[in-house]
Amino acid sequence: MVRTTSLMLLSLAILFPLLLSLLWYQLDSFDAAPLPMHELTRAPIAAPLRNSQMLHGSEKIAVGKLVGPEDILYDSGSGLLYTGCVDGWIKRVTVNDSVDDSVVEEWVNTGGRPLGLVKGLHGEIIVADAAKGLLKVSEDGVIELLTDSAEGQHFKLTDGVDVAEDGIIYFTDASYKYSFHEFSLDILEGRPYSRFLSYNPSTQQTKVLVRDLYFANGVAVSPDQKFVVFCETPMRRCKKYNIEDGKTHTFVDSLPGLPDNIRYDGEGHFWLGFSSESTNLWHYVQSYPLLRNIMAIITKYRRLPPILKSAGAMLVDLEGKAIEHYYDPSLVYITGAIKVGDHLYLGSIVNPYIIRLNVTRYPATSSA
């Protein structure tokens, strides 16, 4: 009798969570869609030079003072770093030889969630604010809304941004369904709710240039002003938009990780931030909408299980060819990278600091 009771209790302990999960699944309205997996089956490209333990020798800037420094802008004129944090502040950072001596200034608070940052043509900062839209912040800190909708559809997650020499601003709305705090649901649902857009300050006109994208993210204008690169995070690729004819082509595909921001380095290369490598488990989850439905339900009540790892940054040339790859197994949610002098700076949506690595002292090598 005791043995029978114990078995019954064990069975209930196993079945109850399963039945509860199935009930939640039946009641939940979330409905993941099949992804174009034929575009995600190719083996990931590899850079010839790699540093697979980039945290070794790295430094943390302004620990606890920069929570979620998603994108990093370097102003060569002032020598300051600008970054947008989860509390809505765009902060200015003076980085000294010793990171312990770094100074953080709260510059302006957008009242939203500032993501992409770029220096405008007249000293202003253009901000892709996930909650507010496309903003302009003057040198003296005055905030102006440029646009928050296109074709009658409001932005829900304004993300990456760059400015061309003719003043046209190119940016992405990563999702017109989900907000920043729900970004994982957009990726799990697997539907193209994203758009690549432009804003003309002279005419105040917002145009949708490319629609039906999968979580379009970082944006970078080419140095010759002929094309713009933007990233599609879950598809592990970046696309190239030709400014003259409006046609879109693949810039780099089958990336080894999930690309986030992209930034031109002024030396003939782009830096890509990777929030994670493309793990076998993540690929498996992507393949089955049912699994993504279950994960979406779990996300609403608790954190996702650890399926991400080895975040970092990759250097590619103007043709999209991989050159260097910096990453570390314990890193996740790295969102952007920028190189200033000998140092590579990495942003994140979760870390309470900026990571800095001296790439001259700790370079990517062919034996990594």
Side-chain angles (χ1 to χ4, degrees):
M1 181 68 179
V2 174
R3 183 179 180 184
T4 302
T5 302
S6 298
L7 288 173
M8 290 178 62
L9 290 173
L10 179 61
S11 298
L12 286 173
I14 295 173
L15 291 174
F16 182 73
L18 178 60
L19 291 172
L20 190 60
S21 296
L22 288 173
L23 177 62
W24 279 343
Y25 170 65
Q26 292 297 325
L27 295 177
D28 198 273
S29 60
F30 188 86
D31 183 24
L35 283 164
M37 295 306 296
H38 63 283
E39 299 181 35
L40 293 166
T41 55
R42 292 184 289 273
I45 63 173
L49 303 177
R50 299 186 299 279
N51 180 340
S52 60
Q53 294 182 319
M54 68 165 295
L55 287 182
H56 174 68
S58 68
E59 302 170 287
K60 297 176 181 178
I61 297 173
V63 176
K65 298 179 181 179
L66 301 170
V67 182
E70 200 268 354
D71 192 18
I72 303 170
L73 166 67
Y74 174 66
D75 181 4
S76 59
S78 65
L80 295 172
L81 296 179
Y82 289 76
T83 188
C85 296
V86 72
D87 56 7
W89 281 101
I90 297 175
K91 301 186 180 183
R92 297 195 288 206
V93 185
T94 303
V95 182
N96 297 303
D97 291 338
S98 172
V99 294
D100 295 332
D101 296 329
S102 299
V103 178
V104 177
E105 173 195 357
E106 292 183 338
W107 182 45
V108 294
N109 194 308
T110 66
R113 203 328 178 178
L115 297 178
L117 305 173
V118 66
K119 193 75 176 289
L121 302 185
H122 308 290
E124 72 277 16
I125 302 294
I126 305 299
V127 184
D129 188 293
K132 298 294 184 178
L134 192 68
L135 309 176
K136 180 176 77 171
V137 185
S138 66
E139 290 184 278
D140 55 359
V142 177
I143 300 173
E144 176 187 347
L145 173 65
L146 299 179
T147 179
D148 61 2
S149 65
E151 299 179 346
Q153 184 74 58
H154 274 78
F155 312 146
K156 288 294 290 286
L157 214 169
T158 324
D159 202 333
V161 63
D162 202 1
V163 180
E165 290 178 357
D166 61 2
I168 302 298
I169 301 170
Y170 295 93
F171 66 105
T172 55
D173 179 26
S175 178
Y176 54 76
K177 180 177 181 180
Y178 293 100
S179 68
F180 173 78
H181 297 291
E182 302 170 312
F183 74 88
S184 60
L185 294 179
D186 183 284
I187 292 174
L188 289 170
E189 185 173 335
R191 286 185 169 85
Y193 293 129
S194 188
R195 299 176 291 178
F196 172 63
L197 309 99
S198 68
Y199 175 79
N200 187 331
S202 298
T203 63
Q204 299 183 345
Q205 185 177 18
T206 306
K207 288 184 178 180
V208 177
L209 303 178
V210 187
R211 50 179 51 83
D212 298 328
L213 298 168
Y214 292 92
F215 206 87
N217 216 317
V219 176
V221 179
S222 66
D224 62 7
Q225 305 295 298
K226 291 184 177 181
F227 63 90
V228 187
V229 179
F230 61 89
C231 304
E232 280 186 288
T233 298
M235 300 305 293
R236 292 173 30 226
R237 69 187 176 201
C238 299
K239 289 184 174 180
K240 179 171 70 173
Y241 173 84
N242 287 330
I243 293 175
E244 184 176 349
D245 61 17
K247 294 182 179 179
T248 304
H249 308 277
T250 298
F251 178 68
V252 57
D253 203 357
S254 303
L255 287 163
L258 308 177
D260 198 299
N261 289 322
I262 180 170
R263 191 174 287 276
Y264 180 64
D265 71 349
E267 300 176 353
H269 312 96
F270 294 103
W271 281 101
L272 284 166
F274 287 157
S275 58
S276 169
E277 74 172 15
S278 180
T279 64
N280 290 332
L281 179 56
W282 172 242
H283 185 79
Y284 186 75
V285 168
Q286 280 189 301
S287 302
Y288 298 98
L290 176 60
L291 290 180
R292 286 186 275 121
N293 278 339
I294 294 172
M295 290 188 71
I297 296 169
I298 293 172
T299 300
K300 294 182 180 181
Y301 300 96
R302 60 186 302 170
R303 288 186 176 184
L304 284 173
I307 61 174
L308 306 179
K309 66 174 186 177
S310 297
M314 176 175 277
L315 182 71
V316 301
D317 65 18
L318 297 181
E319 302 298 323
K321 181 181 179 180
I323 301 172
E324 299 177 7
H325 189 186
Y326 293 83
Y327 58 100
D328 196 278
S330 62
L331 273 178
V332 293
Y333 289 125
I334 293 301
T335 47
I338 184 170
K339 184 172 177 287
V340 181
D342 293 331
H343 291 95
L344 182 65
Y345 295 85
L346 300 180
S348 168
I349 57 169
V350 295
N351 291 338
Y353 49 79
I354 290 173
I355 294 174
R356 182 174 80 167
L357 179 71
N358 188 319
V359 293
T360 301
R361 188 176 301 170
Y362 302 99
T365 67
S366 58
S367 58

